[in-house]
């Protein structure tokens, strides 16, 4: 597992975006559809990160939190983004009924907030982990982890 760690202000996220861009491009070039698994406390900036990252790809969509809808789909000239928020899912059986495993890792790029409950349903070979920790009101720590073997 390879990792990259940065402590930055939200206005300074370009190095994290560029690292993530490179990973996503490498996966997609190999016809592997990456799953971005985002961890962080409530209010850490998970949805803000996705909004800022994906808006750079020229999407016409307004990127919002999928907390109540459970997922949103956004298109850009580069790829389709499936943005999931599983915060309201409390038991594994709920996921069975939703059929999300038909999307995760099968097309586009999936970004999943509060993903831990769904871990048994997620493919193992295309995961990118992003952890966001609040260092202060203005500064967050961003850690990206991925399997180097999958993206060579």
């Amino acid at each position: 597992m390879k990792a990259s760690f940065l402590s930055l202000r939200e206005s300074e996220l370009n190095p994290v975006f560029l690292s993530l861009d490179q990973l996503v491009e490498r996966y997609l070039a190999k016809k592997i559809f990456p799953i971005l698994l985002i961890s962080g406390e409530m209010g850490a900036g998970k949805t803000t990160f996705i909004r800022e990252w994906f808006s750079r790809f020229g999407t016409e969509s307004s990127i919002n939190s999928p907390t109540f809808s459970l997922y949103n789909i956004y298109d850009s000239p580069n790829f389709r983004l499936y943005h999931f928020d599983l915060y309201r899912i409390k038991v594994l059986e709920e996921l069975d009924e939703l059929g999300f495993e038909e999307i995760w890792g099968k097309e586009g790029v999936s970004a999943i907030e509060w993903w831990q409950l769904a871990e048994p349903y997620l493919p193992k070979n295309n995961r990118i982990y992003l952890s966001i920790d609040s260092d202060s009101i203005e500064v967050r720590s961003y850690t990206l982890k991925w399997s180097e073997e999958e993206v060579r």
Side-chain angles (χ1 to χ4, degrees), residues 21-133:
D21 291 349
Q22 291 172 354
L23 284 169
V24 167
E25 286 173 16
R26 286 163 51 193
Y27 276 107
L28 293 175
K30 296 180 91 173
K31 304 289 188 235
I32 298 172
F33 302 105
I35 301 171
L36 178 60
L37 304 173
I38 309 162
S39 302
E41 296 177 357
M42 183 73 72
K46 296 179 291 294
T47 298
T48 300
F49 181 90
I50 292 299
R51 178 183 306 119
E52 297 301 316
W53 174 66
F54 195 68
S55 66
R56 298 165 42 255
F57 292 105
T59 182
E60 298 294 320
S61 302
S62 175
I63 299 169
N64 299 306
S65 173
T67 300
F68 296 103
S69 62
L70 298 179
Y71 78 106
N72 294 326
I73 301 172
Y74 305 108
D75 287 310
S76 78
N78 299 53
F79 56 86
R80 176 171 275 183
L81 175 69
Y82 297 87
H83 183 194
F84 297 86
D85 184 332
L86 304 181
Y87 180 76
R88 294 187 314 121
I89 305 294
K90 300 301 178 206
V91 293
L92 209 50
E93 290 75 27
E94 288 180 74
L95 283 174
D96 288 331
E97 297 169 14
L98 296 170
F100 291 158
E101 70 276 4
E102 296 300 318
I103 299 172
W104 296 331
K106 304 220 173 30
E107 55 184 276
V109 174
S110 296
I112 310 172
E113 300 180 35
W114 305 101
W115 59 271
Q116 292 80 356
L117 182 69
E119 205 280 333
Y121 291 103
L122 300 170
K124 304 271 189 254
N125 67 338
N126 48 350
R127 297 179 181 189
I128 301 170
Y129 298 90
L130 172 65
S131 177
I132 304 173
D133 296 301

